[in-house]
């Protein structure tokens, strides 16, 4: 009986790893090479992205904080600039991120599956446009570099876990 339970557990684990491997991708890192590295990889365990806080001025993305489920990540970057807080609607996910950068992040635009464009920052720099590699994937978490500004950003995509039926 124990052998059957162990075999079933291994099959479920292998299937979950296969689903994750086939549905995850990464874009970036967009921006400069300075700043301290950060990653929200552990935060995604709290749930999908449900809100975003951005500090920006006319030319830069200064600070960033993301809510995963009901839990806010630690803020990264600086504390100057105007703070904007955007909450996603139930069932809404980020499916595309575009922006501009040079030595730091200058503009961010989060595009959702409900057609909203959440735009922050300035209009100058090198453009980027990030989308997931696999269909039905959403933005699961971010990583990057920060000091007094967000100097670089990486975007991590995967299937939204709420879309899977778990036994």
């Amino acid at each position: 009986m124990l052998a059957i339970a162990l075999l079933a557990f291994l099959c479920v684990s292998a299937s979950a790893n296969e689903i994750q491997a086939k549905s995850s991708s990464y874009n970036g890192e967009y921006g400069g090479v300075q700043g301290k590295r950060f990653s929200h990889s552990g935060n995604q365990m709290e749930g999908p992205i449900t809100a975003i806080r951005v500090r920006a001025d006319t030319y830069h993305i200064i600070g960033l904080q993301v809510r995963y489920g009901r839990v806010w990540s630690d803020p990264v970057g600086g504390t100057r600039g105007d703070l904007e807080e955007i909450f996603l609607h139930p069932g809404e996910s980020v499916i595309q991120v575009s922006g501009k950068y040079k030595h730091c992040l200058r503009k961010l635009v989060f595009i959702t599956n409900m057609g909203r464009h959440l735009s922050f920052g300035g209009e100058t720099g090198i453009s980027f446009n990030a989308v997931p590699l696999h269909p039905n994937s959403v933005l699961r978490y971010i990583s990057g570099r920060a000091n007094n500004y967000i100097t670089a950003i990486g975007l991590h995509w995967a299937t939204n876990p709420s879309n899977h039926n778990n036994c």
Side-chain angles (χ1 to χ4, degrees), residues 99-118:
K100 294 182 182 279
Y101 67 93
K102 194 167 182 180
H103 301 293
C104 60
L105 204 56
R106 297 193 170 197
K107 179 181 181 106
L108 272 176
V109 180
F110 296 95
I111 301 166
T112 75
N113 60 334
M114 294 185 177
R116 289 203 296 164
H117 292 233
L118 314 172

Side-chain angles (χ1 to χ4, degrees), residues 30-31 56-62 99-108 120-126 128 150-151:
Y30 303 106
D57 63 18
T58 306
Y59 304 105
H60 306 96
I61 302 298
I62 296 169
K100 294 182 182 279
Y101 67 93
K102 194 167 182 180
H103 301 293
C104 60
L105 204 56
R106 297 193 170 197
K107 179 181 181 106
L108 272 176
F120 311 93
E123 294 296 330
T124 62
I126 301 165
F128 71 89
I150 303 300
T151 55

Side-chain angles (χ1 to χ4, degrees), residues 37-115:
R37 290 190 179 275
F38 70 89
S39 175
H40 291 174
S41 63
N43 297 80
Q44 70 174 320
M45 299 305 177
E46 299 295 336
I49 293 173
T50 55
I52 302 167
R53 289 180 180 150
V54 177
R55 284 195 177 276
D57 63 18
T58 306
Y59 304 105
H60 306 96
I61 302 298
I62 296 169
L64 187 60
Q65 189 175 20
V66 179
R67 190 174 81 166
Y68 297 87
R70 295 181 180 190
V71 179
W72 286 98
S73 68
D74 291 334
V76 293
T79 57
R80 296 179 312 117
D82 297 326
L83 176 65
E84 291 190 57
E85 183 175 80
I86 305 293
F87 287 86
L88 299 182
H89 301 299
E92 188 173 27
S93 298
V94 175
I95 59 168
Q96 181 178 351
V97 179
S98 60
K100 294 182 182 279
Y101 67 93
K102 194 167 182 180
H103 301 293
C104 60
L105 204 56
R106 297 193 170 197
K107 179 181 181 106
L108 272 176
V109 180
F110 296 95
I111 301 166
T112 75
N113 60 334
M114 294 185 177

